[in-house]
Amino acid sequence: MRRIRIGAGAGYSGDRIEPAVELAEQGALDYLVFECLAERTIALAQQARQRDPDSGYDPLLEERFEAVLRQSVARHLRIITNMGAANPAGAARAVARVARRMGLAGLKIAAVSGDDVTAQLRDRDLKLIESEGSTRDIAERMISANAYLGAASVVEALQHGADIVVTGRIGDPAMFLAPLVHEFGWSMEDWDRLGKGTLVGHLLECAGQVTGGYFADPGYKEVPDLARLGFPLAEVEDTGSAVITKVAGSGGRVGLDTCKEQLLYEVHDPALYYQPDVVADFTSVRLELIGPDRVAVTGGTGWPRTDTLKVSIGYVDSYVGEGQISYAGPGALARAKLALQIVAERLQLTGVRTSELRLELIGVDSVYRGAGVTNEPEPVEVRIRVVGRTDCMREARRIGNEVETLYTNGPAGGGGAWKSAREIVAVVSTLLPRAEVQTSVSYEVA
Amino acid sequence: MRLQELAHSRTGDKGNVSNISVIAYRMEDYPLLLRHVTAERVGKHFADIVRGQVERYEMPSIGALNFVLHGALAGGVTRSLSLDPHGKSLSSSLLEMEIPGRG
């Protein structure tokens, strides 16, 4: 039976480079997919593009393509990525430049556009999902608005012979679904297969998270050789059934347990996993270990897609100021608590206006945020963290300053003060009627 | 016994919503999870940080539960002031929960 082999070359924008090279060289792949676009990334990329119209795509794009392009061309594997971020056409030109520099002329690079729906959102009042409020609340501070596209434009590009397809915002699993639709000729209304293809994409989209990354817990869950973690590949059949595996000899492992954790990762109702092409249903998924680092994935299905597309909106939310300083040795905790008390009083005395303020003890209560904190023995060292939200940068800076001045004005032995003030670009989501989103594909030849 | 002895867990984030899976190491322990790791108990465990509803979804085919915690991420990953804005550590926190043993 014919199988298509798809590898995941990155699970986020800053991910390791070499595992993708290993996949390109040894994975016998037909397709290599790089998922590099977190929720906020596109808003930051849009800000970069406002400063320089040729930028706005992933900062590691050139480096990633330089690392895998020669092998990919030699082995006739095609690359799909959302590294286009806020500028897919600019990204396609950048890939062409890399290819020419490497002497790889003739490559056809497709750019998928149309995810930018900033114009469609103007003067609209749409209810937000996954948080409170509506789009009107943030309209004036909006930086970017991008719809999650489906697989169709990528399929079109592949049908037109693209060797490389670069997109902006697209449903992550759709980048894996597209080559399956193209290769097997699946109907875009075959909900069962689209559901199964989405399942494969979902398991692969975070790359190392299904091969043992984000998993190890010494004494409970062991994972070998995480420093050389291998990224996953799927062998997919026309039925939509697949085997998740990785390159032999690479680090990490693929097991039922790693696949189960990734199956539910960022899923709410497993019967209704909303994607642009299909509502996938994971409730009937069956996993079977069929060999070392080989998990067979069968079952799973899908239901007709909805009439709306999810849109993520980036906007300037606020400013955040932060300061940290450490205390160690006998009485560390008492001195740290005194330090927090002093900073709280100083912020009040000097009239620093915050809409939200956190006074924390790193090593005691900062990560857990109060949940499940027990009366453990006193720590031998503790670091205070004061962080507050303000409505301007100037005010944000004053927070870190009040921590830094503890050096000479606070408790004994405070060391390693650090401060920062930053603009917060936040992201909210809404739904837009699908009919309002028009996509297009353009081509660049290296 | 501590939930950590029976199950493993992973946290995911979407906006201001956190999801936490609880997966039995051994399929035969799934009924124990089903009985003792309820939405109500998980809600209580995270009472200090969850502002909205807690929902539980069941995945018997893989011996897992999935908890969805609304309003759990201090305003959402991209604007939270938390040191762990994604709430990645919530899974470890949940595994501290005490439940009756296999009996």
Side-chain angles (χ1 to χ4, degrees):
Chain A
M1 187 182 292
R2 184 164 168 246
R3 290 186 176 84
I4 300 300
R5 294 169 68 92
I6 308 177
Y12 81 103
S13 153
D15 214 338
R16 292 179 187 168
I17 301 267
E18 322 92 85
V21 178
E22 183 177 62
L23 272 176
E25 287 174 352
Q26 300 172 54
L29 298 182
D30 301 296
Y31 291 87
L32 179 56
V33 177
F34 292 91
E35 196 292 289
C36 295
L37 213 46
E39 273 193 313
R40 175 159 45 191
T41 320
I42 216 161
L44 301 175
Q46 183 61 34
Q47 284 184 320
R49 196 181 178 185
Q50 281 160 4
R51 293 188 290 269
D52 171 7
D54 290 330
S55 72
Y57 55 84
D58 190 286
L60 286 178
L61 177 137
E62 280 94 348
E63 196 177 335
R64 287 196 195 281
F65 274 96
E66 278 162 12
V68 299
L69 209 47
R70 193 170 302 283
Q71 282 298 332
S72 304
V73 171
R75 292 166 193 272
H76 304 290
L77 75 89
R78 302 163 92 176
I79 297 174
I80 300 168
T81 180
N82 55 9
M83 277 189 270
N87 189 2
R93 286 191 293 275
V95 175
R97 283 196 298 273
V98 171
R100 283 192 289 264
R101 247 195 337 260
M102 295 174 74
L104 301 167
L107 280 183
K108 190 169 181 180
I109 304 143
V112 174
S113 305
D115 60 308
D116 183 342
V117 292
T118 324
Q120 290 93 315
L121 252 64
R122 210 155 280 145
D123 305 319
R124 291 284 279 275
D125 192 22
L126 301 169
K127 193 177 176 307
L128 302 182
I129 56 170
E130 295 160 7
S131 55
E132 302 297 312
S134 83
T135 54
R136 182 171 292 167
D137 307 337
I138 50 149
E140 285 174 8
R141 293 172 287 152
M142 186 167 84
I143 298 166
S144 62
N146 298 79
Y148 283 80
L149 302 183
S153 299
V154 179
V155 174
E156 180 191 322
L158 295 174
Q159 280 165 352
H160 282 82
D163 301 293
I164 295 160
V165 186
V166 183
T167 75
R169 182 61 75 198
I170 180 170
D172 296 346
M175 288 193 286
F176 298 87
L177 179 59
L180 298 173
V181 170
H182 168 66
E183 294 285 344
F184 293 126
W186 290 352
S187 157
M188 287 306 283
E189 269 149 32
D190 185 341
W191 310 118
D192 182 64
R193 281 188 169 84
L194 295 182
K196 289 181 163 79
T198 295
L199 167 63
V200 172
H202 173 67
L203 287 169
L204 294 182
E205 64 175 286
C206 295
Q209 281 196 185
V210 77
T211 50
Y214 192 29
F215 183 84
D217 192 357
Y220 289 88
K221 298 186 292 180
E222 308 293 344
V223 181
D225 211 1
L226 278 168
R228 296 194 318 110
L229 183 65
F231 282 180
L233 68 95
E235 305 164 356
V236 193
E237 297 175 5
D238 181 21
T239 57
S241 293
V243 173
I244 306 291
T245 185
K246 66 187 185 69
V247 169
S250 62
R253 68 178 177 83
V254 179
L256 292 177
D257 44 9
T258 66
C259 290
K260 287 177 182 179
E261 284 200 15
Q262 192 55 23
L263 178 62
L264 289 172
Y265 179 69
E266 291 186 342
V267 168
H268 292 173
D269 181 349
L272 298 169
Y273 185 62
Y274 291 96
Q275 288 298 310
D277 298 303
V278 62
V279 182
D281 180 347
F282 298 159
T283 50
S284 61
V285 171
R286 290 181 305 276
L287 303 172
E288 192 189 349
L289 191 67
I290 56 168
D293 294 314
R294 291 180 67 80
V295 171
V297 183
T298 54
T301 188
W303 308 103
R305 56 181 162 263
T306 63
D307 294 331
T308 54
L309 290 176
K310 179 175 170 177
V311 171
S312 64
I313 306 166
Y315 69 101
V316 177
D317 178 86
S318 53
Y319 297 83
V320 165
E322 179 173 351
Q324 300 181 6
I325 189 168
S326 288
Y327 297 89
L333 192 57
R335 280 177 287 133
K337 284 179 175 169
L338 174 60
L340 286 182
Q341 196 186 315
I342 294 166
V343 176
E345 200 177 332
R346 286 291 303 169
L347 293 175
Q348 209 161 35
L349 278 176
T350 58
V352 176
R353 292 182 303 276
T354 56
S355 57
E356 196 183 340
L357 183 68
R358 302 179 69 88
L359 301 143
E360 301 176 329
L361 300 165
I362 295 178
V364 179
D365 67 2
S366 61
V367 172
Y368 265 18
R369 293 187 284 143
V373 173
T374 52
N375 290 318
E376 296 294 330
E378 181 162 337
V380 293
E381 56 179 66
V382 58
R383 187 164 176 82
I384 74 159
R385 176 174 185 257
V386 179
V387 55
R389 193 185 310 285
T390 65
D391 57 14
C392 70
M393 187 66 101
R394 183 191 156 88
E395 204 73 356
R397 286 201 187 97
R398 296 173 67 190
I399 296 170
N401 289 348
E402 286 300 343
V403 175
E404 188 189 68
T405 60
L406 290 171
Y407 265 142
T408 53
N409 300 274
W418 169 91
K419 62 182 177 180
S420 89
R422 53 196 188 268
E423 179 185 81
I424 297 298
V425 172
V427 167
V428 288
S429 303
T430 189
L431 298 172
L432 190 68
R434 165 186 299 279
E436 294 185 41
V437 181
Q438 304 297 328
T439 60
S440 64
V441 185
S442 59
Y443 298 90
E444 190 80 30
V445 176
Chain B
M1 70 197 306
R2 214 156 60 158
L3 184 54
Q4 186 185 18
E5 305 302 323
L6 293 181
H8 56 109
S9 177
R10 174 171 296 191
T11 310
D13 58 273
K14 288 276 177 209
N16 199 18
V17 183
S18 174
N19 87 286
I20 310 177
S21 60
V22 175
I23 305 163
Y25 280 111
R26 309 188 321 177
M27 286 296 270
E28 57 265 38
D29 286 331
Y30 177 65
L32 216 56
L33 302 183
L34 205 54
R35 194 171 327 126
H36 298 297
V37 192
T38 60
E40 192 191 355
R41 279 215 63 194
V42 171
K44 272 189 189 147
H45 185 82
F46 290 114
D48 292 341
I49 63 165
V50 177
R51 300 281 167 267
Q53 290 292 310
V54 175
E55 293 153 1
R56 184 179 89 167
Y57 297 97
E58 297 166 13
M59 285 282 284
S61 70
I62 60 165
L65 300 172
N66 189 38
F67 294 90
V68 179
L69 285 59
H70 295 268
L73 295 177
V77 176
T78 53
R79 75 186 299 271
S80 166
L81 298 186
S82 172
L83 194 58
D84 171 20
H86 301 86
K88 300 280 189 192
S89 59
L90 297 180
S91 54
S92 307
S93 170
L94 185 56
L95 292 180
E96 282 196 301
M97 182 189 276
E98 287 292 331
I99 63 166
R102 293 189 183 99

